[in-house]
Amino acid sequence: MTGGSLSSEVGLLCAEYEELGHPGAVFVALRLRDLMAAGHRLAEIEAEFRRRDARFFLLGLPLSPDEQAHYQLFHPDEAVDDTNLRFSLWIGVNGRDEADAMLAEASLTRAENAANLAVTGLLAARDEPSDEPTANELLSWLLLDARTWTARRDAIRRHLDLLRDPWTRDRLDEAVEVLSNPDSRRVVRAVRDLVVRATEDGQAAAFATCEFLVLEALEAFLSAPTWAAAAEVHRAYPDELGGDLAGDILAGMKRDVRYTAAQLAVLDAHGQVLEDAWEHGIEAAATEAQRRYPVKHGTPAAEDHLLAAVSAPDLETSRDILLAAPTEVFMAGREAALDLLRRRAPDDEIWRVGLVADAAERGVEAAYADWAELAETTGIPQLTVLVGRHRGYLRDRALELLLTAQAQAGNQAAEREIAQELAERRTPGSPPGRRPYDLVNLGVVSSKQGDLDTARAAFREAHQLLTAVGSRALRGLLRLRAGIFAHDYDDDFPTAVHHFRGAVEDFRATDDIVSMAYALEQLSSVFRELERGDALMYATVADRLVLEMDVDARGVAGDYDHVAFDVNRGMVESQFLFDDFAAAADRANWMLTDPETQMDDDERIALQRILVACAIREHRWGAARKTVTSWRADGFDDWAGLGHAAVAAGRAAARWPGKTVAPARHKDLAGLAETLRGLGAPDEDIHRLLIPTTWKALGDALIDTLAGARRGDPLMGRRVFGDYEADAWRTRSNRIASIPLTGGPGLPAGAPWREVIAHYHERGVWQLPDLAVFGPVLDRWSALSRFDDIARINQPVPGASLDVYFYQSDPEGHLAGLHGCVYVPESEMIVCSLSYLEDLFNAGELTWDAEEAIIQKSLAGSEWEAAATVLTTKARARQRALLEWVIAHEIGHAHHGHAAGARTAREALALEEEADAFFLDGIAAQDSADELYLAMSIQLRSLYAYEVRRQRRHTPTNQERQDLSVRIDGSPDGTGHRPLVFRAVNLIRSLLRRRPELGSIDYYDRFAATLEGR
């Protein structure tokens, strides 16, 4: 279970049940246990099953006398009463009819069932018996808790002597007798026979004749993906697969008329292997099987055909591959195709699995004809007909195409209806990327209709599922749409940044520089609203990409013309915002006069407005008036009125910046209120603008309004550590969606870094961090380095610019020599432990709420009491300085090309100081030295306490924190880094040597000397 919403988890359960070929009620029971561990109740789980019309049903049935007696037999010391043990849980997996029959038999209504489930839970289960169980405990586990017959077999092997007591047989006989249900009695009798025969005739005979155990071994043998894997199964079950019962069961299966000729051939092959293993051993039998039967369900030969089919570039090629494939391939069916789609196909388009599944059901040519017809159909009426004609994957694809057609036609009601249907009733077992695709589509159309609650819920669920999308191009597009919603509709800037920055990496992985440039411009637009220098950085990188594009280039986010226009316009807005008026005017002029640049009237006026604003800022009054006059001639009276007022205010501000003016009464500003109202300005904004102020303040406000520029918080707007950083960190857990690790053979120790990177990419080791926190930090410092570009994050192959990889676990130990966040010179990359970075940001002992409570208490009764939350935000944001320094320091190593392994301590210290100097140079360029000094100095003692806890397993007292009396080891680790508190105080000292006016260095010299024990 992923820890997502109940709706998403149940959706995954339904899909997984279909993909695994209906594995039965035990599979569902295990997932129920996980859901309940996550805090969900059986009643709400059943309600979600019904909302989805799932095949599963949960029934809370009154506990039968059999069940009470059976439970009490092995729990004699635990009372069975009406409050503790009232109901048994029945899990149905065969649909509504079966559930209705069970309810009728129990004389229960659905409402009564819901009430029963509301007070029903699951008894605690044990995966294994204790190391030294009593006989009663062991029997209880064998009968009640064991999940598989293999687990029972292993427990009997370990504790056989304990089961030899005659009391054991008596208790097992009693267990059989108290049960009247024939199915339950059969299972308990099988456990009794297994135990009795193991004690009397030996383990081999017992295991070879237990039908349930042999069936479990045969299932593993038949499901093994290769003959080599089948041999491994045989070695794990030598008794079960080596006896007569296994052969008899296979022979009985071959008499089942439901099996096809291809399936019977597979049964024959496995039966022959068992015979050969009896005579010659399993190794020789497996070798002979590979020669005789090269195509086995799941073998490389069969997988090659399926992989080629689901990876084909088009329908025709996939059809040709399936026509040439051996019949056995179709035994794999939809489940194997889905598995390959997840692991190795270029995308998870629905036709890839749909063609295979339909071909297995009704033949290749018939399936191809339907899919080919659908691919050629475009009109809304024609697609509507196909939706009504088809079922399953074909209908889903027809609905997808119809959704696009309705969106292009502007039919929002129809678009919403289709999006809702796909989100709620898509065919089970669809490719994993379709669920987030459906949710994002529902979110987009819901937001266009103003239903933000539905849109918000859809986007949040989609976010948790994005890692399941196999196609990086589709994943990037979905991230892009989620980011646009977060920015344009939800005012959630951190979430917008996370999605846009993730989209950049997805588009980078597919070499889609058109869409990459568009995502970068979206990032720039977010930071323009925050008035952050990152806006210009992202706009500049996007602009470079546009210069690299062919004019006929296209991407999933749009074509060259549209993306290039957006990027150029964003560059103009960024240059204006950061006072490069000449560059903004030059680019705006070029866009307005370039015959290849197409734009509508609104877009043209928007550029001209910035052009006029630039002219006013540069005191080119004549040029400004000329454009404003043309607006009036063209009928844009409101913009002309605002332009006239901005020119007048700007000119007055140039002469008398500090002089007070009453805008509502000044003759040059007559009619300004009506003009602003005509442009859609709210009355409260108009009132605020018209109160008496200085000419400079009024001029700035009118010029920015004319240019469409938004300014950030005047106290925090351009600073490095502000409201955005605090909000991003506080909400980061909402954006983190982990990638599950996959299995597979490991790499040998000492493998080259490029191989480790690619291998760990395949295994899902590299985890996407919260890019709202880490993205701007990485990009800002990477752009300032010799790489002169934003960072590459978790790319499968290191590239030409700086690569950064984040991990949560190291399953094969390849990263064992790296500690925390480290530059690796061999591959020009930085590797960071997310656990380390998380600990780093939480180095202080206080939680967010506790810190706010302390500030509120200290300000109680003062005029600043209401500002506690704001002050907490500022303080918390400054803690991000620590995180930024650690990352920028490693980028500093990369910038200078430092080699690994300094020869002496002096050389190591010089390298560390050079990396810190890179960081301090950048801070000085951002005019943020005072912010850094304040941020780092207030954290020194917290870093000391953090290190004491880490090294000494001791939380220092306030006095110990003040006098630094607990000694800590300052030795560097394997990467040459000393503990952070030693590094931090040296950083502050270096800063104060550059900027002595910030504070006294003497205090920090004494702090350092005390740390060093001098």
Side-chain angles (χ1 to χ4, degrees):
M1 287 290 154
T2 63
S5 68
L6 178 60
S7 177
S8 63
E9 294 293 2
V10 169
L12 289 173
L13 168 59
C14 294
E16 195 174 1
Y17 192 85
E18 296 296 328
E19 292 163 20
L20 295 175
H22 302 178
V26 173
F27 173 85
V28 179
L30 296 177
R31 296 302 186 271
L32 286 179
R33 192 175 296 280
D34 293 339
L35 284 172
M36 295 186 72
H40 304 297
R41 305 295 299 272
L42 289 174
E44 62 177 311
I45 297 171
E46 167 64 8
E48 181 62 22
F49 284 163
R50 300 289 59 76
R51 189 184 73 79
R52 289 177 171 273
D53 196 23
R55 65 184 303 123
F56 315 124
F57 279 80
L58 304 182
L59 303 185
L61 302 177
L63 203 66
S64 69
D66 273 5
E67 290 162 333
Q68 285 196 0
H70 191 232
Y71 181 85
Q72 197 167 32
L73 181 65
F74 293 101
H75 299 79
D77 299 327
E78 298 179 32
V80 180
D81 57 38
D82 289 342
T83 59
N84 292 332
L85 200 64
R86 298 168 53 196
F87 304 106
S88 65
L89 177 66
W90 182 84
I91 303 172
V93 295
N94 297 314
R96 183 181 302 275
D97 291 344
E98 180 185 42
D100 288 343
M102 291 293 295
L103 285 171
E105 184 178 335
S107 300
L108 288 176
T109 66
R110 292 199 178 278
E112 290 168 335
N113 180 56
N116 291 353
L117 289 174
V119 293
T120 301
L122 296 177
L123 294 172
R126 298 160 292 165
D127 291 337
E128 294 182 353
S130 62
D131 291 338
E132 296 182 4
T134 65
N136 198 60
E137 289 172 345
L138 179 58
L139 289 181
S140 173
W141 183 85
L142 288 171
L143 290 170
L144 300 176
D145 291 333
R147 296 186 178 186
T148 65
W149 285 90
T150 302
R152 290 187 174 98
R153 178 198 68 178
D154 295 342
I156 290 170
R157 278 178 174 164
R158 289 196 304 272
H159 305 293
L160 185 59
D161 288 340
L162 192 63
L163 298 171
R164 296 185 188 279
D165 192 316
W167 173 90
T168 301
R169 179 181 296 186
D170 294 340
R171 185 52 61 98
L172 287 169
D173 287 341
E174 189 177 352
V176 173
E177 292 303 318
V178 300
L179 294 175
S180 59
N181 182 284
D183 292 333
S184 300
R185 177 177 285 199
R186 181 168 175 249
V187 172
V188 174
R189 182 180 286 116
V191 173
R192 182 200 59 184
D193 293 346
L194 182 61
V195 170
V196 170
R197 187 147 198 192
T199 57
E200 294 183 351
D201 301 331
Q203 297 178 38
F207 300 155
T209 56
C210 176
E211 182 179 3
F212 287 105
L213 182 55
V214 172
L215 281 169
E216 200 166 275
L218 277 174
E219 181 181 8
F221 187 62
L222 289 166
S223 301
T226 65
W227 289 116
E232 288 296 323
V233 173
H234 195 284
R235 283 188 279 272
Y237 295 96
D239 301 322
E240 295 84 344
L241 296 177
D244 292 338
L245 181 58
D248 293 343
I249 291 174
L250 280 178
M253 292 172 68
K254 289 193 292 184
R255 291 192 292 271
D256 191 328
V257 296
R258 293 172 295 178
Y259 287 124
T260 65
Q263 291 169 325
L264 290 173
V266 171
L267 294 175
D268 278 333
H270 285 78
Q272 186 62 53
V273 172
L274 290 182
E275 289 184 20
D276 290 347
W278 177 266
E279 295 183 9
H280 308 294
I282 188 57
E283 286 75 13
T287 301
E288 180 63 12
Q290 189 62 53
R291 186 188 66 79
R292 285 184 185 171
Y293 316 108
V295 176
K296 174 187 187 292
H297 169 45
T299 62
E303 186 172 285
D304 286 347
H305 288 289
L306 269 179
L307 179 60
V310 300
S311 303
D314 50 52
L315 274 168
E316 292 78 5
T317 306
S318 184
R319 174 202 60 186
D320 294 343
I321 292 168
L322 291 174
L323 286 171
T327 308
E328 290 86 349
V329 168
F330 294 104
M331 291 176 56
R334 178 184 63 193
E335 290 75 21
L338 277 168
D339 180 59
L340 285 173
L341 204 62
R342 284 194 191 92
R343 292 189 289 118
R344 299 176 64 183
D347 57 48
D348 50 10
E349 289 294 330
I350 196 168
W351 69 264
R352 297 186 182 281
V353 65
L355 182 61
V356 172
D358 291 344
E361 181 178 325
R362 60 182 190 275
V364 176
E365 292 289 11
Y368 170 76
D370 286 338
W371 282 99
E373 179 190 21
L374 183 56
E376 295 296 322
T377 306
T378 56
I380 290 177
Q382 295 87 341
L383 286 169
T384 303
V385 170
L386 293 183
V387 167
R389 180 194 305 170
H390 293 309
R391 294 292 178 267
Y393 296 128
L394 274 164
R395 185 174 188 273
D396 291 346
R397 181 55 183 159
L399 282 169
E400 290 178 359
L401 294 172
L402 185 57
L403 176 77
T404 301
Q406 297 285 17
Q408 291 172 345
N411 301 330
Q412 287 187 9
E415 184 186 357
R416 170 73 177 264
E417 183 180 353
I418 297 168
Q420 195 86 41
E421 179 170 356
L422 282 169
E424 294 180 354
R425 290 184 287 278
R426 183 181 281 275
T427 301
S430 291
R434 305 330 281 175
R435 175 65 178 166
Y437 171 81
D438 294 339
L439 289 166
V440 168
N441 283 333
L442 179 59
V444 168
V445 68
S446 298
S447 61
K448 288 191 292 188
Q449 291 186 317
D451 184 359
L452 298 188
D453 288 340
T454 297
R456 193 174 292 116
F459 279 116
R460 284 177 179 168
E461 183 179 348
H463 169 68
Q464 297 299 322
L465 304 174
L466 282 176
T467 55
V469 179
S471 165
R472 294 294 296 267
L474 177 60
R475 192 189 312 170
L477 182 62
L478 298 183
R479 289 192 198 279
L480 200 57
R481 291 175 176 171
I484 290 170
F485 172 78
H487 182 207
D488 294 355
Y489 293 91
D490 225 14
D491 290 329
D492 184 349
F493 288 5
T495 297
V497 169
H498 177 78
H499 284 306
F500 290 145
R501 189 59 183 83
V504 169
E505 293 306 313
D506 288 324
F507 295 140
R508 190 202 301 271
T510 59
D511 294 323
D512 183 354
I513 64 172
V514 176
S515 300
M516 190 176 168
Y518 184 73
L520 286 164
E521 162 51 25
Q522 294 297 317
L523 275 170
S524 178
S525 72
V526 174
F527 287 106
R528 284 198 294 273
E529 288 195 46
L530 293 167
E531 201 184 1
R532 293 301 184 85
D534 296 334
L536 192 55
M537 171 189 68
Y538 286 123
T540 301
V541 177
D543 189 48
R544 286 183 199 157
L545 291 177
V546 168
L547 293 175
E548 295 176 15
M549 294 178 201
D550 294 328
V551 294
D552 58 351
R554 293 189 63 86
V556 297
D559 59 23
Y560 169 85
D561 288 338
H562 290 91
V563 170
F565 180 85
D566 286 345
V567 169
N568 278 300
R569 181 178 58 190
M571 192 67 172
V572 171
E573 293 173 359
S574 299
Q575 289 167 330
F576 174 84
L577 189 65
F578 294 97
D579 302 339
D580 192 352
F581 304 121
D586 286 346
R587 189 177 292 253
N589 261 322
W590 167 75
M591 293 179 69
L592 289 164
T593 57
D594 177 30
E596 301 297 325
T597 302
Q598 303 295 316
M599 65 186 82
D600 59 27
D601 284 344
D602 289 339
E603 292 166 335
R604 179 175 59 82
I605 289 292
L607 284 171
Q608 289 179 344
R609 285 160 47 203
I610 296 177
L611 205 56
V612 171
C614 289
I616 298 172
R617 289 295 189 189
E618 295 182 312
H619 299 179
R620 294 185 285 109
W621 317 115
R625 285 199 189 97
K626 180 179 179 181
T627 303
V628 170
T629 301
S630 73
W631 291 345
R632 185 136 354 237
D634 291 339
F636 298 108
D637 293 339
D638 287 331
W639 286 121
L642 178 58
H644 172 78
V647 172
R651 190 162 189 175
R655 295 175 178 175
W656 315 294
K659 185 176 180 180
T660 301
V661 60
R665 296 197 297 270
H666 198 281
K667 62 181 180 62
D668 289 338
L669 305 175
L672 180 58
E674 289 72 20
T675 295
L676 292 171
R677 195 168 287 113
L679 291 170
D683 285 343
E684 60 187 64
D685 289 352
I686 296 172
H687 174 73
R688 190 161 47 244
L689 188 67
L690 295 181
I691 62 176
T693 184
T694 65
W695 275 115
K696 183 181 185 309
L698 179 63
D700 287 344
L702 289 176
I703 293 168
D704 282 346
T705 301
L706 180 66
R710 298 186 184 183
R711 300 289 174 180
D713 178 349
L715 291 177
M716 304 299 292
R718 300 191 185 191
R719 296 165 86 171
V720 176
F721 316 117
D723 292 344
Y724 169 82
E725 285 73 22
D727 190 30
W729 187 261
R730 180 171 51 195
T731 59
R732 69 194 183 284
S733 62
N734 298 339
R735 294 179 293 275
I736 297 173
S738 61
I739 302 171
L741 284 176
T742 60
L747 279 181
W753 276 113
R754 291 182 72 85
E755 292 183 19
V756 172
I757 294 300
H759 177 65
Y760 268 12
H761 174 78
E762 289 294 323
R763 291 208 58 187
V765 169
W766 308 126
Q767 299 283 319
L768 195 67
D770 175 25
L771 294 176
V773 171
F774 291 100
V777 174
L778 286 170
D779 295 335
R780 183 181 309 129
W781 293 100
S782 181
L784 288 171
S785 74
R786 64 182 169 89
F787 298 98
D788 193 28
D789 196 1
I790 63 172
R792 292 160 42 95
I793 301 174
N794 293 351
Q795 288 295 316
V797 179
S801 56
L802 181 66
D803 280 278
V804 186
Y805 295 91
F806 295 90
Y807 69 96
Q808 196 74 259
S809 62
D810 180 19
E812 298 174 24
H814 296 297
L815 311 177
L818 309 180
H819 303 279
C821 198
V822 180
Y823 169 59
V824 181
E826 294 89 337
S827 293
E828 294 269 80
M829 67 183 189
I830 293 170
V831 179
C832 291
S833 161
L834 285 171
S835 298
Y836 168 79
L837 294 173
E838 180 80 9
D839 287 346
L840 191 64
F841 208 101
N842 290 318
E845 302 90 342
L846 296 178
T847 65
W848 186 283
D849 292 338
E851 190 169 5
E852 186 171 334
I854 289 174
I855 293 177
Q856 285 176 334
K857 183 176 179 180
S858 66
L859 298 178
S862 75
E863 60 181 315
W864 296 101
E865 183 173 2
T869 300
V870 175
L871 293 174
T872 305
T873 297
K874 308 304 185 196
R876 195 66 170 179
R878 290 192 180 104
Q879 290 191 5
R880 204 207 61 172
L882 192 63
L883 180 80
E884 183 149 355
W885 163 51
V886 167
I887 291 175
H889 176 93
E890 297 308 316
I891 295 177
H893 282 305
H895 171 72
H896 291 293
H898 289 160
R903 292 185 296 271
T904 65
R906 183 182 296 274
E907 183 180 333
L909 179 60
L911 295 179
E912 293 299 296
E913 289 181 345
E914 193 172 27
D916 276 346
F918 167 78
F919 174 61
L920 293 175
D921 289 344
I923 287 292
Q926 299 170 42
D927 196 24
S928 300
D930 53 346
E931 274 290 296
L932 175 67
Y933 172 65
L934 181 60
M936 295 300 293
S937 61
I938 64 176
Q939 295 186 77
L940 269 184
R941 295 192 185 278
S942 290
L943 284 175
Y944 168 74
Y946 168 75
E947 199 60 38
V948 170
R949 290 194 302 273
R950 193 181 71 84
Q951 290 191 21
R952 306 292 294 272
R953 301 292 188 269
H954 165 68
T955 299
T957 65
N958 287 337
Q959 187 60 46
E960 288 170 336
R961 286 165 56 107
Q962 289 301 313
D963 56 26
L964 309 180
S965 57
V966 182
R967 293 295 302 274
I968 54 177
D969 184 3
S971 302
D973 60 24
T975 61
H977 289 146
R978 302 186 76 193
L980 272 174
V981 64
F982 291 87
R983 295 171 57 193
V985 71
N986 284 335
L987 179 75
I988 295 173
R989 293 161 76 197
S990 296
L991 177 63
L992 290 176
R993 291 188 193 103
R994 293 174 174 227
R995 296 283 303 277
E997 75 277 9
L998 292 176
S1000 171
I1001 197 172
D1002 293 342
Y1003 169 80
Y1004 298 99
D1005 286 341
R1006 291 194 301 272
F1007 191 105
T1010 306
L1011 274 183
E1012 301 287 357
R1014 297 197 298 269

